[in-house]
Amino acid sequence: MLFNIPVIIDLLSIEQGRQLMINENLRRQNAKRREFDYVVGGEVLIKNFNPSKLDPKMEVQRSPQVFERLNIRRLVPFRRV
């Protein structure tokens, strides 16, 4: 059964509540990230997505003469200990 009652919705409060949830989720995700600035000549690890038993999972590119265009998501910052 339907009633002819006007529905009062506070869209501004709904929008503000959603925006608060979005901001909190972004803050939580960004807190987990590590900052790293890539430099020319720096060393990185290249992810190998199809490894076999004999190949390592990641390779180190050490030769600065070799230029290869890679997706940034395939790179992992390399830090010498």
Side-chain angles (χ1 to χ4, degrees), residues 1-68:
M1 179 186 272
L2 298 174
F3 297 106
N4 191 9
I5 300 173
V7 177
I8 300 172
I9 300 173
D10 189 8
L11 292 177
L12 290 178
S13 66
I14 294 173
E15 180 182 355
Q16 288 173 353
R18 287 182 180 172
Q19 190 63 45
L20 285 174
M21 286 185 356
I22 290 170
N23 291 342
E24 180 63 25
N25 289 339
L26 284 174
R27 186 197 59 77
R28 192 178 311 126
Q29 286 292 326
N30 289 337
K32 297 177 185 177
R33 295 179 187 221
R34 296 184 211 152
E35 291 186 15
F36 185 81
D37 295 326
Y38 292 96
V39 294
V40 175
E43 295 180 333
V44 295
L45 297 174
I46 302 172
K47 293 181 185 177
N48 186 4
F49 290 109
N50 192 9
S52 67
K53 289 187 176 183
L54 300 177
D55 293 334
K57 276 194 166 183
M58 296 187 179
E59 304 172 7
V60 178
Q61 180 181 1
R62 295 183 184 264
S63 175
Q65 289 82 19
V66 177
F67 293 101
E68 187 177 351

